[in-house]
Amino acid sequence: MSNNLVKQSKILMTDIRAGKNPAESCRAFGEILATAYRRYGLQRLAMNTFSLLEMLSDAPEDKKEPYQEMKELLCAAFLDRAEDRKEKLAQKRDTLLKEMRELSRLTDAFGCYEYILNRLEPSATGAVEDVDPEEVADAAYRFAFADQDKVVVNTRIQSIVAELPVRMSKQRFFDILSNSLQLYKGGDLSVAEDFATAVREAFTDGTSDVFQEYPELLGTYKELERIIGQELNLENYETARGSLTAATMFLEDSVSRNMLLTEVLNDALLVVLTEPYSRKEWLSEQDKTAEDILKRSLEAEDIYITAEELDPLFLSLEGVQEERMDELTRISLNLEEWKPYAEEEKLSDMVSDLEKADLFTSTSLYMDTERDLTVVTEEAGEESISRIRDELTETLGKAMADMPKIMKRSCMARVLSLVPVFFNTRDEIREYFVSAISACKDPGELTAVKHIIDQMILEA
């Protein structure tokens, strides 16, 4: 079946290029592509829905609601076949994307305190060491260039810069931001604005409305702020570390749950979007088995009892998802070429839905399916870059004015992990490593930085 669909798609693309039966050929190719998407989506949806229902069964009563809500959405979509199922699934996905955006910002906000506590730990616990700045800088430099891949090298440099002591002036920091913004000139303005938003949020998370849906975390954040402002001692450090650990565990659980729910939703939307264009007669027994698993899982009163009945069906699907992905990859290679022909044949709805379906097969769970399909024509010119820079400088200047020095450094470090590598030569990189470490006169922070870089090297 897979080889047949791939073969037929190649024949149809040849006919489309030659102008042979264009309307019929374009629609037929779209139906093959939709079927390939649906076959792949059914395999993923069956597996991930079963995992979702296991999570629902195992979750404590006070944490079942998100899983139960998702089950009800899936039941409405695939058992009741509600007319508005596509809209309801899409609305839920928008909600999950907003939630993940908030969780990411909260994670970053508490990450600032992780940065601070890591640097306070040696002094608080009496584990300060005698550190040679040159040795640490050399170790970091060797690690950065130990790989031949330029992407890996740049990633390592950014990671190291984000962990080095921050002792640069505010003006030097703003110069780095200004130079980074210049790299976006001539490109998509929205990308430059997204970068500026990420930088702005690094300094304003603690005073923004990001905690609105999580008031208990706001209390923890303010408690950390209070403790960090007190005299450093072991008791304060351990209290702060305990509060941070509790917040981190809450966020990790919330992120994991959101990722599972979003993955299931993406699979559901992939299947629903492509069903109107796919051909039932092209579904194999394995595809129908995946549908059977999906429906029986959703109907189950006890997922673990039903699992015993489904085990043989799951075994029969081993390796099928990989086969479907291979089939889909080979057929979807012609998606971009097919689109303009299909648009000419008034198949714009099919094109739009299959473009979205393609996004739902990507490795990114949280792509914006509307924005990604929009061609942005506004270019980032000198005037717009200057405006973004001035607004960003003003916002950060106000935020820094009220910040304790240790928090300011933490936020600056977080931003430095976002900016493109701002060095021109290897010598500049080594010089920055040496100067950043040597400028720090806090033995506790130097000890912490040495341990962090050592850990980076061990984990590489």
Side-chain angles (χ1 to χ4, degrees), residues 157 166 182 368 427 442:
I157 292 171
V166 177
Q182 286 298 318
D368 185 333
D427 286 342
D442 181 345

Side-chain angles (χ1 to χ4, degrees), residues 159-438:
S159 298
I160 293 167
V161 168
E163 296 295 350
L164 293 179
V166 177
R167 295 297 186 272
M168 67 178 63
S169 67
K170 184 170 70 173
Q171 187 55 54
R172 168 62 173 148
F173 178 69
F174 286 159
D175 287 344
I176 291 172
L177 288 182
S178 179
N179 292 336
S180 297
L181 282 168
Q182 286 298 318
L183 298 176
Y184 294 97
K185 190 165 66 175
D188 186 343
L189 177 60
S190 67
V191 178
E193 290 174 336
D194 285 347
F195 169 73
T197 297
V199 173
R200 187 179 301 109
E201 288 176 353
F203 281 86
T204 58
D205 278 336
T207 57
S208 70
D209 61 356
V210 70
F211 288 95
Q212 185 173 346
E213 299 296 326
Y214 303 90
E216 67 277 22
L217 289 182
L218 177 59
T220 303
Y221 190 88
K222 294 300 183 182
E223 177 67 6
L224 285 169
E225 186 177 55
R226 184 187 67 79
I227 295 172
I228 294 301
Q230 295 179 343
E231 179 185 355
L232 175 63
N233 56 48
L234 183 59
E235 181 181 356
N236 283 340
Y237 167 78
E238 290 181 340
T239 300
R241 180 62 77 179
S243 297
L244 179 61
T245 299
T248 300
M249 290 178 63
F250 174 86
L251 289 169
E252 287 177 350
D253 288 346
S254 299
V255 167
S256 296
R257 180 182 63 245
N258 184 289
M259 290 179 68
L260 172 60
L261 297 178
T262 303
E263 188 167 11
V264 173
L265 259 181
N266 286 353
D267 297 337
L269 280 164
L270 175 58
V271 172
V272 169
L273 277 170
T274 55
E275 183 178 342
Y277 313 109
S278 64
R279 299 274 289 272
K280 288 184 179 180
E281 62 267 30
W282 290 341
L283 298 181
S284 71
E285 286 303 313
Q286 293 163 319
D287 303 322
K288 294 172 184 176
T289 296
E291 282 189 298
D292 189 30
I293 290 173
L294 173 63
K295 291 177 180 178
R296 289 168 67 178
S297 297
L298 291 172
E299 291 170 341
E301 293 185 10
D302 187 317
I303 193 62
Y304 287 111
I305 292 176
T306 303
E308 296 177 9
E309 304 169 6
L310 297 181
D311 277 346
L313 300 184
F314 278 118
L315 286 172
S316 72
L317 296 183
E318 284 189 5
V320 175
Q321 184 175 315
E322 289 74 18
E323 291 175 9
R324 295 292 180 267
M325 185 72 250
D326 178 66
E327 171 191 79
L328 177 57
T329 300
R330 294 163 69 187
I331 296 173
S332 63
L333 284 173
N334 293 309
L335 172 62
E336 291 300 318
E337 184 180 357
W338 167 76
K339 279 163 46 180
Y341 292 108
E343 293 278 6
E344 288 182 10
E345 300 303 327
K346 314 299 183 186
L347 298 174
S348 56
D349 287 346
M350 178 187 276
V351 169
S352 177
D353 284 343
L354 294 188
E355 280 185 309
K356 289 181 181 179
D358 190 61
L359 291 173
F360 287 130
T361 66
S362 78
T363 55
S364 173
L365 291 178
Y366 298 100
M367 83 296 288
D368 185 333
T369 57
E370 299 304 324
R371 180 173 175 179
D372 287 350
L373 297 178
T374 302
V375 178
V376 180
T377 56
E378 188 171 2
E379 185 179 292
E382 185 63 47
E383 184 177 344
S384 55
I385 291 294
S386 296
R387 171 183 58 78
I388 293 172
R389 182 199 62 217
D390 293 344
E391 291 174 353
L392 192 58
T393 300
E394 182 180 2
T395 301
L396 267 54
K398 291 179 179 177
M400 287 181 176
D402 299 325
M403 268 187 183
K405 185 181 294 184
I406 193 168
M407 177 57 80
K408 188 189 307 180
R409 289 171 177 171
S410 177
C411 292
M412 290 170 74
R414 178 173 148 196
V415 169
L416 290 174
S417 72
L418 301 174
V419 302
V421 174
F422 49 90
F423 307 104
N424 296 314
T425 67
R426 288 194 176 196
D427 286 342
E428 280 187 30
I429 294 169
R430 188 182 182 284
E431 181 182 342
Y432 180 85
F433 288 1
V434 172
S435 62
I437 298 171
S438 299

Side-chain angles (χ1 to χ4, degrees), residues 43-154:
Q43 298 297 321
R44 287 180 54 88
L45 181 58
M47 303 292 181
N48 286 330
T49 297
F50 185 85
S51 297
L52 169 78
L53 297 175
E54 285 185 314
M55 294 294 290
L56 171 59
S57 178
D58 295 341
E61 284 301 321
D62 62 340
K63 295 186 178 180
K64 285 184 182 294
E65 184 179 353
Y67 302 111
Q68 181 63 35
E69 182 185 357
M70 183 60 66
K71 179 185 177 180
E72 291 170 3
L73 270 174
L74 295 175
C75 286
F78 298 104
L79 298 183
D80 303 335
R81 301 185 63 79
E83 291 185 6
D84 61 350
R85 58 181 182 160
K86 183 169 74 172
E87 291 73 18
K88 287 293 179 61
L89 291 170
Q91 287 171 8
K92 180 59 178 176
R93 186 172 186 274
D94 288 343
T95 300
L96 287 175
L97 263 61
K98 180 176 180 293
E99 178 186 73
M100 180 53 80
R101 170 76 171 152
E102 292 169 346
L103 290 171
S104 296
R105 287 191 65 187
L106 287 165
T107 299
D108 288 341
F110 282 100
C112 285
Y113 281 111
E114 178 73 29
Y115 178 97
I116 290 170
L117 289 179
N118 286 345
R119 280 149 183 75
L120 295 179
E121 181 176 357
S123 296
T125 60
V128 176
E129 301 172 8
D130 186 17
V131 176
D132 185 330
E134 288 273 353
E135 288 183 4
V136 177
D138 285 341
Y141 180 82
R142 288 193 299 271
F143 170 64
F145 292 99
D147 198 289
Q148 297 301 311
D149 189 319
K150 289 184 178 179
V151 174
V152 174
V153 171
N154 283 342

